[in-house]
Amino acid sequence: MADNSKQHKYRQEIQQMMYVSGETGEPSVETTAMIEEIVRQQVIEMLRNCTELAARRGSRSITINDLIFQIRDDAPKVSRLRTFLSWKDVRKSAKDSDDKGGDADLGVADDPAGGVMPGGPAVEEAAKKNKKAKVKLPWEPTSYYSQEVPERDDEEDEEEEEMNHITLQRLRKADERTKAMTKEEYVTWSEYRQASFTYRKGKRFREWAGFGIVTDSKPSDDIVDILGFLTFEMVQTLTEEALKIKEQEDLWKERSGGENSGNKKRKLAQGLFDPPNEGKTPVESRHIQEAFRRLQTRPKKSRAMLNGTNLQQRTNLKLF
């Protein structure tokens, strides 16, 4: 038991991430431990793949592109990650400007009358400096050419439109989860959104993820931040899938009478003055296990390509 407590280091963070993802109950230690182990195996698999990619190009250091390459087939997630990195650069540039403390960086111009007025060339220069830059990836077709088509401010590419659609769906889910919350519950939910495996836990995360064992590369701050972003997404995906499974299970129990399925008396609908049902129970480890199994299922297209051949299907861990 002591070994498990040492191994599983993120129970509190996982509880907070699950709460943000829709799990308002308190999950058991077994449930959070299973989620942590699943996420840890996903991180180790990503680092192993990144190390192999780095070795192919004759390098011992993994890069940001090696990490993003692992999730290249999930376009919405790649788009969210690129936005995350872009705004990180904006915040870093703004912080550097604040540290310099120059009026030009603050976008303030001198008035000919001796006063100070906003606007002028300084504002435009600061806006260009702090503009959200687009993260470019080497396997995209646009990187094949030495010259690039200039971007227009009023133009949005398909990837950004898809990201906006996914973002709207997530905001809609968040609105549904929070619209019935009290003020205290919403404050708690907002605080829990900041939960992270990596923020101010760099040393703990490096030991937990196996840096120095899985890979000899010393991770940069950007790589640790990307892994922190991805681990939050993994917990969220697992929790949302487990909640769907539990909802289907609860619906089946309600229709069939649950464990008392032998009792064929029809269950009446709950009336206005009937006592409330039992409190909602949190997801259990079996729901997480089934969610992980579903997330590991290969698409039919990839399985159909192997029909009539002697090739074995890939059994590598599928990243999600």
Side-chain angles (χ1 to χ4, degrees):
M1 202 61 188
D3 294 336
N4 290 336
S5 62
K6 290 180 181 179
Q7 183 181 4
H8 302 296
K9 304 176 181 180
Y10 290 102
R11 170 167 167 78
Q12 181 179 358
E13 288 82 1
I14 290 174
Q15 280 183 306
Q16 294 173 352
M17 294 176 186
M18 293 179 71
Y19 185 85
V20 172
S21 304
E23 176 50 87
T24 55
E26 183 175 356
S28 64
V29 177
E30 183 183 3
T31 302
T32 56
M34 180 175 290
I35 292 178
E36 182 174 341
E37 186 59 30
I38 290 174
V39 173
R40 183 170 177 268
Q41 291 299 324
Q42 292 272 311
V43 172
I44 290 175
E45 182 71 13
M46 291 187 73
L47 292 178
R48 185 182 292 116
N49 294 339
C50 289
T51 304
E52 292 178 359
L53 286 174
R56 289 180 183 179
R57 63 173 185 271
S59 174
R60 297 183 61 185
S61 301
I62 63 177
T63 64
I64 294 175
N65 292 333
D66 294 331
L67 270 177
I68 302 178
F69 188 74
Q70 308 303 315
I71 58 170
R72 64 191 182 281
D73 294 329
D74 191 344
K77 184 179 291 186
V78 171
S79 185
R80 290 195 299 273
L81 179 56
R82 294 170 79 162
T83 303
F84 168 78
L85 294 174
S86 298
W87 283 115
K88 182 184 174 184
D89 290 340
V90 170
R91 288 192 296 269
K92 185 178 179 181
S93 300
K95 184 179 178 181
D96 293 341
S97 300
D98 292 340
D99 292 340
K100 291 179 182 178
D103 288 342
D105 290 334
L106 296 176
V108 177
D110 293 334
D111 192 343
V116 176
M117 68 174 185
V123 174
E124 297 178 1
E125 187 67 26
K128 290 179 181 179
K129 184 184 293 185
N130 294 336
K131 184 180 179 181
K132 184 166 71 75
K134 185 176 180 180
V135 178
K136 299 176 182 178
L137 301 174
W139 56 86
E140 292 182 331
T142 53
S143 66
Y144 301 162
Y145 306 99
S146 58
Q147 294 183 351
E148 299 180 3
V149 178
E151 296 182 3
R152 288 172 19 199
D153 295 336
D154 59 343
E155 185 179 36
E156 288 190 359
D157 55 8
E158 296 180 359
E159 181 179 314
E160 191 166 350
E161 290 179 359
E162 184 178 7
M163 185 205 68
N164 292 337
H165 176 69
I166 299 295
T167 301
L168 287 175
Q169 286 184 334
R170 290 203 162 198
L171 289 174
R172 191 177 296 111
K173 287 182 181 179
D175 182 61
E176 292 175 356
R177 291 167 185 161
T178 57
K179 64 183 178 182
M181 288 183 177
T182 62
K183 180 180 178 181
E184 292 75 14
E185 290 174 339
Y186 185 77
V187 169
T188 301
W189 186 84
S190 300
E191 292 176 354
Y192 285 179
R193 290 185 69 186
Q194 309 303 319
S196 172
F197 279 70
T198 59
Y199 182 64
R200 293 182 178 176
K201 311 178 188 76
K203 183 179 179 182
R204 189 207 308 183
F205 180 79
R206 288 178 177 88
E207 295 175 355
W208 177 82
F211 282 100
I213 300 175
V214 181
T215 177
D216 294 332
S217 174
K218 185 178 181 181
S220 64
D221 292 339
D222 287 337
I223 288 177
V224 173
D225 289 340
I226 290 175
L227 289 173
F229 173 87
L230 293 176
T231 48
F232 191 103
E233 294 257 337
M234 292 172 191
V235 175
Q236 189 174 34
T237 302
L238 263 176
T239 304
E240 290 176 349
E241 189 67 28
L243 286 171
K244 291 179 185 178
I245 295 169
K246 185 178 181 299
E247 184 179 357
Q248 294 171 356
E249 182 183 277
D250 292 343
L251 184 61
W252 177 83
K253 286 182 179 179
E254 184 179 352
R255 290 178 177 177
S256 62
E259 288 79 5
N260 300 325
S261 56
N263 185 7
K264 297 185 178 179
K265 183 177 179 181
R266 189 172 73 90
K267 186 176 180 179
L268 299 176
Q270 184 173 355
L272 179 62
F273 299 103
D274 290 341
N277 293 330
E278 296 181 0
K280 180 184 175 183
T281 57
V283 295
E284 300 178 11
S285 56
R286 70 175 190 275
H287 301 126
I288 299 296
Q289 192 170 9
E290 175 61 17
F292 177 69
R293 187 194 68 80
R294 294 186 182 183
L295 291 170
Q296 289 298 303
T297 303
R298 300 285 172 181
K300 292 182 179 179
K301 182 178 180 180
S302 63
R303 298 200 305 267
M305 293 292 290
L306 298 177
N307 289 342
T309 68
N310 296 326
L311 299 176
Q312 294 182 353
Q313 294 191 14
R314 290 173 55 193
T315 57
N316 295 341
L317 186 66
K318 182 183 176 183
L319 301 175
F320 59 86

